[in-house]
Amino acid sequence: MSLTKRIFRHAIAFWVVASVLAPAVLAQADKQVLQALRGLFGSFEFRAQNLTALPRWMSALRRIADEEKVYVACMTAYANCPFPAAVGWIAKIKSLEGLDRMTQLIELNLYLNRWPYKEDRENYGTSDYWASPLEFLRRSGDCEDYAIIKFVSLRLLGFQNDDLRMVVVMDTLRNLPHAVLAVRMDEKFYIMDSLYDAVLTDDRISFYVPQYSVNETTRWAHIMAPIAPLVPLPTLDATGERR
């Protein structure tokens, strides 16, 4: 089943449950509990431990695994790097080691955003190709390619897979699909974006609607749905009258 169909199926299931439970349960629920159900960009998230619905991501992960020995060799000695841009990338990563994590995010975002944007059609002759870091460094790329190399860069700096997600969103300002990297720190998600050098928390960005997100092991479907106002249910007096 395609991811679009899965998202639609989950959305229908959510609204069926919500329409039945909202009057009796949601109105009495604790607001903090409902807010805790919120995910990236205020969405409701549906998690799956299966990446088969995302073949481009699986292909990119295989190429990243093949490249890992090059990353290690480059970090050992710059002479082992296959081309100058790889030297610069590894040198930047090494210069960030030991710094606080927020500084790492900001500096890495600034550095990689300097690469020029290039469409997949121009680079690879296809409408959608997810590049590995070395491919990006050779040719540059489009939005998901920036997110992928930022993902791998942070993994090399010691960030955990569970704290990272590449997020495919709809940019409602441009009416275009887009991809960013979300990084969880201190119970918040910080967004590394190829369009903006600032690194902001997701709750400060109102024009992105998440479609799905993914890391090395997990994918999430996202549904945007408002939480019903939390009003108490009416109570009845001894005569059965509403009060």
Side-chain angles (χ1 to χ4, degrees), residues 175-219:
N175 195 31
L176 290 171
H178 185 46
V180 298
L181 184 68
V183 184
R184 184 173 60 191
M185 296 191 306
D186 302 323
E187 304 304 319
K188 295 180 180 180
F189 275 106
Y190 292 84
I191 305 303
M192 299 176 71
D193 196 328
S194 59
L195 297 177
Y196 307 100
D197 289 337
V199 178
L200 304 175
T201 53
D202 65 324
D203 59 354
R204 295 181 62 188
I205 305 172
S206 61
F207 48 87
Y208 286 163
V209 177
Q211 308 298 300
Y212 63 90
S213 57
V214 66
N215 61 22
E216 294 169 7
T217 58
T218 309
R219 62 186 171 89

Side-chain angles (χ1 to χ4, degrees), residues 4 11 14 29 43 46 58 81 104 142 162 183:
T4 301
F14 172 82
S43 67
F46 301 90
M58 293 181 67
C81 293
Q104 290 175 334
D142 62 5
D162 288 346
V183 184

Side-chain angles (χ1 to χ4, degrees), residues 109-147:
N109 202 52
L110 283 167
Y111 177 76
L112 291 170
N113 282 359
R114 296 189 314 200
W115 260 255
Y117 179 93
K118 284 189 180 179
E119 296 280 356
D120 288 333
R121 185 76 63 186
E122 178 184 355
N123 264 341
Y124 304 103
T126 184
S127 61
D128 194 14
Y129 181 84
W130 292 20
S132 68
L134 294 185
E135 290 172 321
F136 175 85
L137 292 169
R138 283 192 179 98
R139 304 187 184 195
S140 197
D142 62 5
C143 55
E144 74 272 1
D145 304 326
Y146 289 92

Side-chain angles (χ1 to χ4, degrees), residues 222-237:
H222 296 267
I223 302 297
M224 300 302 292
I227 292 177
L230 299 179
V231 294
L233 291 177
T235 57
L236 303 179
D237 62 20

Side-chain angles (χ1 to χ4, degrees), residues 45 58 60 64 68 83-84 101 144 146 154 172 193 195 217 240:
E45 299 182 347
M58 293 181 67
I64 290 167
E68 282 182 0
F83 49 89
R101 293 206 153 185
E144 74 272 1
Y146 289 92
L154 293 179
T172 61
D193 196 328
L195 297 177
T217 58

